[in-house]
Amino acid sequence: MNLADMLSFADMNQLTAIAGRYRCECKQNSKQDLIQTLLYTLGSKDFMEAQVREYSQQDLRFLNALLFDERSYLTLEDLLAAARAASFDTPAGQNGGYRDTVARFKNGGWLFNGTSQQSRYLFQVPKDLKERFRDRMAARLKEGVEPGGEPDMYREEGDLAAADLQALLRFVGQDEPELNLEGAMYRRCQQMLMNSLHIPEPLLTKGGWRFGYGRACEHYPPRLALLYDFARHRRWIAEDGQRLRLTSTGAAVLEEAKYESLMQIFSFWLRLYKGAIPNLPSLVYWIGVCADEWVTVKSLEHALGWLIKPFYYDDAGSILEKRILRMMLHLGMLRAGEAASGPVVKMTNWGMEMAQSKQLLL
């Protein structure tokens, strides 16, 4: 429902609270006057610009979470969890409790209770407010990025991830590589596999921490780890004792020589990295908004870094460059190059299509 519908179902207490929040001049005992005044106030262009400009980064992260939540209704626990996630490491009492955050947004006209007996204790966000917030946030973020100029040469991987997924299946089917005690292929086998891929990566060195980005990230470089986890998830390969083997399903896929859809790999990547980067879908969307032309990676980090929560030893910049932009490059969503201004990126047509897809705009 849109704002007008939700205001008409709201009780007088909430309408009065919203009117008081924005210092509206209207008859406090007239529901019709309250609704008309609030529609005029909250529907104005200045209102949304002021919200995006004046809200703290924590509040904007909370709204961003609501914007990309696909559920029609949210429980109080859902909202409290979103408020907690948006706070990053800020102590709960420093800017008011999480319940205070929910109450502020309810009194600000962003959250309304359901209209039926079953949904009266649930919450929803007006659809038109979501759309206007998305547009205003897009304008704000784009203001923060700098054009990078088209590089003389750039890298684009297209659908090579799908091709290398086939190469992985072929390698496993032919060699049935031996696994060490940790369940990983020996380095010699890994190097042989890398030599057969279109996009090879340096093998991992000893030391360092590796977790949170899929099961295979502990043993293999990020791109190979994604393909390995995807193939294992689809049950095309299986760790059978001390050997990695191709399953009958994997053999059928290989025999058909049919490339897996990049959309499927992209969707799997979103789910795989969600534990470490909970708001990854929204970040992909905003990157699509900001990088429709060549932009500098440095300015992209400046524009989006405040939306990214550090994950253990990965800071916001590292997550953006290594975990998001680089993987989007591997998935054919980005072009990357070097200009006079430094590293630059630009979305591909397919990347723009995926970044604006319904699964990100729910």
Side-chain angles (χ1 to χ4, degrees):
M1 289 194 295
N2 288 328
L3 177 63
D5 302 313
M6 294 191 185
L7 287 174
S8 65
F9 283 108
D11 59 35
M12 287 293 291
N13 288 335
Q14 184 174 7
L15 294 177
T16 304
I18 298 172
R21 164 73 174 78
Y22 299 116
R23 300 177 182 176
C24 297
E25 296 182 2
C26 58
K27 298 177 182 177
Q28 298 288 319
N29 59 350
S30 169
K31 185 170 184 177
Q32 182 178 359
D33 196 39
L34 279 167
I35 291 174
Q36 289 178 345
T37 303
L38 290 175
L39 279 175
Y40 175 79
T41 302
L42 275 65
S44 68
K45 181 180 178 182
D46 292 342
F47 167 79
M48 192 57 67
E49 289 184 354
Q51 298 299 291
V52 174
R53 183 176 63 251
E54 295 172 6
Y55 273 146
S56 67
Q57 290 184 347
Q58 181 173 329
D59 284 343
L60 289 176
R61 287 194 292 263
F62 177 71
L63 281 179
N64 187 66
L66 300 185
L67 174 62
F68 288 90
D69 196 303
E70 77 278 10
R71 291 167 291 187
S72 299
Y73 291 96
L74 300 169
T75 66
L76 177 59
E77 288 71 24
D78 294 330
L79 295 173
L80 293 175
R84 186 180 302 109
S87 70
F88 284 6
D89 295 323
T90 304
Q94 187 164 323
N95 296 322
Y98 303 131
R99 288 180 180 272
D100 291 342
T101 299
V102 174
R104 279 194 297 108
F105 279 93
K106 183 178 181 182
N107 293 337
W110 288 94
L111 294 169
F112 292 85
N113 291 104
T115 58
S116 67
Q117 189 69 26
Q118 293 77 21
S119 63
R120 60 185 298 188
Y121 297 112
L122 303 177
F123 296 86
Q124 51 189 334
V125 183
K127 183 180 178 182
D128 51 347
L129 273 191
K130 272 190 173 186
E131 293 171 352
R132 290 171 53 215
F133 172 71
R134 180 186 299 125
D135 292 342
R136 187 56 221 152
M137 267 287 284
R140 168 186 164 153
L141 294 175
K142 288 203 72 167
E143 290 170 0
V145 296
E146 299 175 3
E150 185 168 354
D152 295 331
M153 298 178 63
Y154 62 83
R155 177 176 171 181
E156 181 180 349
E157 296 188 11
D159 62 353
L160 292 180
D164 280 347
L165 181 60
Q166 286 276 320
L168 170 62
L169 298 181
R170 192 176 305 111
F171 177 82
V172 173
Q174 292 174 352
D175 290 61
E176 294 192 348
E178 187 178 356
L179 303 177
N180 61 25
L181 294 177
E182 296 178 342
M185 289 183 281
Y186 287 96
R187 291 181 66 84
R188 180 177 58 83
C189 289
Q190 290 187 41
Q191 191 59 61
M192 290 173 59
L193 172 57
M194 284 297 177
N195 293 339
S196 69
L197 301 181
H198 292 88
I199 307 294
E201 300 168 275
L203 301 185
L204 298 183
T205 56
K206 291 184 178 180
W209 69 279
R210 301 182 185 95
F211 59 88
Y213 300 98
R215 181 177 178 274
C217 74
E218 181 181 354
H219 306 300
Y220 309 115
R223 183 177 183 271
L224 175 59
L226 173 65
L227 298 180
Y228 185 102
D229 278 333
F230 181 81
R232 188 173 177 275
H233 172 74
R234 298 296 293 267
R235 298 183 179 178
W236 294 346
I237 59 175
E239 295 159 0
D240 183 12
Q242 296 301 109
R243 291 281 179 180
L244 183 63
R245 303 186 192 278
L246 191 68
T247 66
S248 58
T249 307
V253 170
L254 192 59
E255 185 176 350
E256 291 176 6
K258 183 179 179 181
Y259 282 6
E260 182 66 9
S261 165
L262 275 178
M263 184 184 298
Q264 295 296 325
I265 303 176
F266 167 65
S267 298
F268 179 76
W269 170 63
L270 291 179
R271 297 194 303 272
L272 191 69
Y273 278 35
K274 190 174 182 180
I277 316 172
N279 60 337
L280 180 57
S282 72
L283 291 168
V284 171
Y285 176 83
W286 294 128
I287 290 169
V289 167
C290 294
D292 56 337
E293 298 294 339
W294 289 103
V295 297
T296 65
V297 172
K298 184 177 180 180
S299 68
L300 200 58
E301 180 184 340
H302 177 74
L304 299 177
W306 60 277
L307 284 168
I308 304 173
K309 182 179 181 179
F311 182 71
Y312 291 93
Y313 298 103
D314 267 355
D315 59 21
S318 176
I319 290 174
L320 179 65
E321 290 189 41
K322 296 180 180 179
R323 310 298 184 180
I324 303 178
L325 295 180
R326 189 173 299 176
M327 294 308 296
M328 290 175 69
L329 172 67
H330 292 325
L331 291 169
M333 301 177 69
L334 272 181
R335 299 183 180 104
E338 193 80 24
S341 53
V344 292
V345 293
K346 178 185 177 181
M347 297 291 288
T348 63
N349 291 336
W350 184 83
M352 288 295 290
E353 183 181 337
M354 286 299 96
Q356 308 291 328
S357 63
K358 287 185 178 180
Q359 68 189 90
L360 298 184
L361 289 174
L362 296 169

